[in-house]
Amino acid sequence: MGTFSKMHGLGNDFVVIDARADAVELTEARARAIADRHTGIGCDQLIVIGPSPRADVAMRIFNADGSEVAACGNATRCVPLFVGRDVTIETRAGLLDARLVDDGARVDMGAPRFDWDAIPLAYAMDTLAMPVSWEDLPPPAAVNVGNPHVIFFVDALDAVDSARLGPLIEVDPLFPERVNVNFAQILDPHHVRLVVWERGAGLTRACGTGACATAVAAIRRGLASGPVTVSLPGGDLVIDWTPGGTIQMTGPATFVFSGEADWDSF
C-alpha cells in the first residue's frame, strides 16, 4: 500500500504520491489508470514526490493520458503544502524554489526560453510573432517555461472554440513534442483572461505554466507589464517577470483529502 493526497490549484487537480521512503514504479498505462475518473482515483495530472540528491525533493509529473512531462506550475505550488514547508524541487525542467504564502505558494519557475529549437518547433522561425496560424486565429507567440506553449492573443476570448482548435493545434507537426495551446484576451496592461488546452490533459480549469507563458509573451509584445493577474476559469494567478530574469508565480494550492492505494492494482 502507498499513501497519496488529492490536491488542486485553482481546480487543476492532482493525485500526489509520496515516494520519498518507498519508490513507486509508474508506467504510462499505470499513470493513465490512476488518473481515470471512473475506474481510478481521478486527476488532471499525477505527481510523484521522491528523494533528490540536489534538492529537498524531486517531482515527476504525468498527464492524464499517461505521458510524462517536465513542468506543471499548479502542481509545483502544491509541493510545499504537501511537504509542509518551503522547498527546493528537482524537476526535469530544472531546480525550482517554492515558498508557502497565505492560501498557497510563490514559485520561482526559472527563466523562459524563446529559441525555436528550445520550444521546440519543427523548423526555425520568429517565436514572438510566428508567421503561421490556424483558421482565423492571429499569429501566435511561443514560449518554453519547462514545457512548450503557443499563445494566441484574441480580441474576444468567448468567441474562440478552444475545445475544437486546441486538440488540432496540440498535435500539429510544427510541434514535434506536441504543445500546450493558450487563448488569451488582454483586459488591461496588468490583467489577462486565459483558457488553456493542455497537452495530454485537454481543457483544465487552470494551467500554471500556461499563465506564466502567456504573461511573458504579453510582456515581450508590449501588451502588458508585470505583475500580471491571469484570470483562468478556476481563478486568478499573479505572474511577474522582467526580461532577463526568472518568472515568479503566486497563487492558491488546496489540500482535499488523503488516502491509501495499492499501486500494483492499477
Side-chain angles (χ1 to χ4, degrees), residues 18-101:
D18 193 343
R20 287 174 290 179
D22 297 304
V24 176
E25 181 183 354
L26 280 183
T27 62
E28 183 175 309
R30 177 170 290 172
R32 190 166 57 244
I34 295 169
D36 190 288
R37 296 189 184 276
H38 300 287
T39 59
I41 300 172
C43 59
D44 291 322
Q45 278 90 19
L46 181 67
I47 309 302
V48 182
I49 304 298
S52 167
R54 304 170 54 214
D56 295 320
V57 295
M59 175 173 67
R60 296 178 68 192
I61 307 157
F62 296 83
N63 283 331
D65 68 354
S67 58
E68 185 170 2
V69 294
C72 178
N74 288 325
T76 305
R77 293 198 314 279
C78 290
V79 176
L81 186 63
F82 180 82
V83 176
R85 59 182 172 86
D86 298 347
V87 287
T88 54
I89 307 165
E90 180 184 356
T91 74
R92 283 175 49 186
L95 291 178
L96 305 179
D97 184 80
R99 300 182 177 274
L100 292 167
V101 298

Side-chain angles (χ1 to χ4, degrees), residues 56-240:
D56 295 320
V57 295
M59 175 173 67
R60 296 178 68 192
I61 307 157
F62 296 83
N63 283 331
D65 68 354
S67 58
E68 185 170 2
V69 294
C72 178
N74 288 325
T76 305
R77 293 198 314 279
C78 290
V79 176
L81 186 63
F82 180 82
V83 176
R85 59 182 172 86
D86 298 347
V87 287
T88 54
I89 307 165
E90 180 184 356
T91 74
R92 283 175 49 186
L95 291 178
L96 305 179
D97 184 80
R99 300 182 177 274
L100 292 167
V101 298
D102 291 344
D103 300 322
R106 178 181 297 112
V107 180
D108 185 327
M109 293 292 290
R113 293 181 292 169
F114 308 113
D115 293 340
W116 70 273
D117 52 349
I119 301 300
L121 302 177
Y123 50 88
M125 68 175 66
D126 177 16
T127 60
L128 182 57
M130 298 167 62
V132 296
S133 195
W134 289 261
E135 298 186 8
D136 58 352
L137 290 170
V143 182
N144 186 299
V145 288
N147 55 8
H149 286 266
V150 64
I151 305 100
F152 297 88
F153 293 102
V154 299
D155 294 330
L157 185 58
D158 293 334
V160 177
D161 190 351
S162 52
R164 182 180 65 84
L165 291 168
L168 295 176
I169 299 168
E170 176 194 353
V171 299
D172 190 284
L174 179 59
F175 308 104
E177 296 181 9
R178 298 187 293 165
V179 74
N180 298 281
V181 188
N182 301 264
F183 304 100
Q185 179 180 348
I186 303 292
L187 301 181
D188 66 50
H190 296 285
H191 194 186
V192 178
R193 277 187 68 206
L194 178 64
V195 171
V196 186
W197 175 272
E198 290 196 48
R199 176 185 63 169
L203 289 174
T204 58
R205 292 185 55 76
C207 177
T209 57
C212 291
T214 298
V216 165
I219 292 168
R220 284 189 78 209
R221 283 195 177 183
L223 302 174
S225 57
V228 179
T229 296
V230 180
S231 294
L232 296 129
D236 293 350
L237 295 173
V238 177
I239 312 298
D240 205 2

